[in-house]
Amino acid sequence: MNRITVLGNLCADAERFDVETRNGNSSYVSFFVADYGTPTKKGDPLALEVHFSNDVALKLLPDLKKGKEVLVDGFLVEKSAGIGITIGVAV
């Protein structure tokens, strides 16, 4: 896995969704973050999909609104729809 840290802004409000697993339901928070590059070298934004599923995620959900600047640290995961980030570290 490739670890990545991104500083960017939310493209839309974060959403909560539940996934049924063998051990019951798990709640996830999902959002898109736009990374515009480094402060001295701006480019076209890179939009990355982010998912995370711990107690902190649900507590942060009300604050994750469109335009909010966020710092995301996690692991890149390739999906059929593109590349996304799965939060794999403690917040």
Side-chain angles (χ1 to χ4, degrees):
M1 287 193 174
N2 297 314
R3 187 170 185 166
I4 185 171
T5 301
V6 175
L7 176 64
N9 297 86
L10 296 182
C11 300
D13 292 354
E15 297 179 356
R16 173 188 173 166
F17 62 96
D18 296 317
V19 175
E20 191 173 321
T21 66
R22 284 185 259 162
N23 299 329
N25 285 343
S26 293
S27 296
Y28 286 82
V29 172
S30 176
F31 57 87
F32 283 89
V33 61
D35 176 17
Y36 292 93
T38 64
T40 58
K41 187 177 178 186
K42 298 284 186 184
D44 292 332
L46 171 65
L48 295 167
E49 185 174 6
V50 179
H51 297 281
F52 63 118
S53 66
N54 56 31
D55 292 337
V56 174
L58 297 177
K59 291 177 183 172
L60 290 175
L61 181 61
D63 295 320
L64 296 174
K65 301 293 182 192
K66 181 179 179 178
K68 176 110 177 165
E69 186 175 68
V70 293
L71 179 66
V72 177
D73 183 36
F75 300 97
L76 285 177
V77 177
E78 188 172 353
K79 298 169 52 173
S80 60
I83 296 176
I85 299 175
T86 297
I87 303 300
V89 296
V91 178

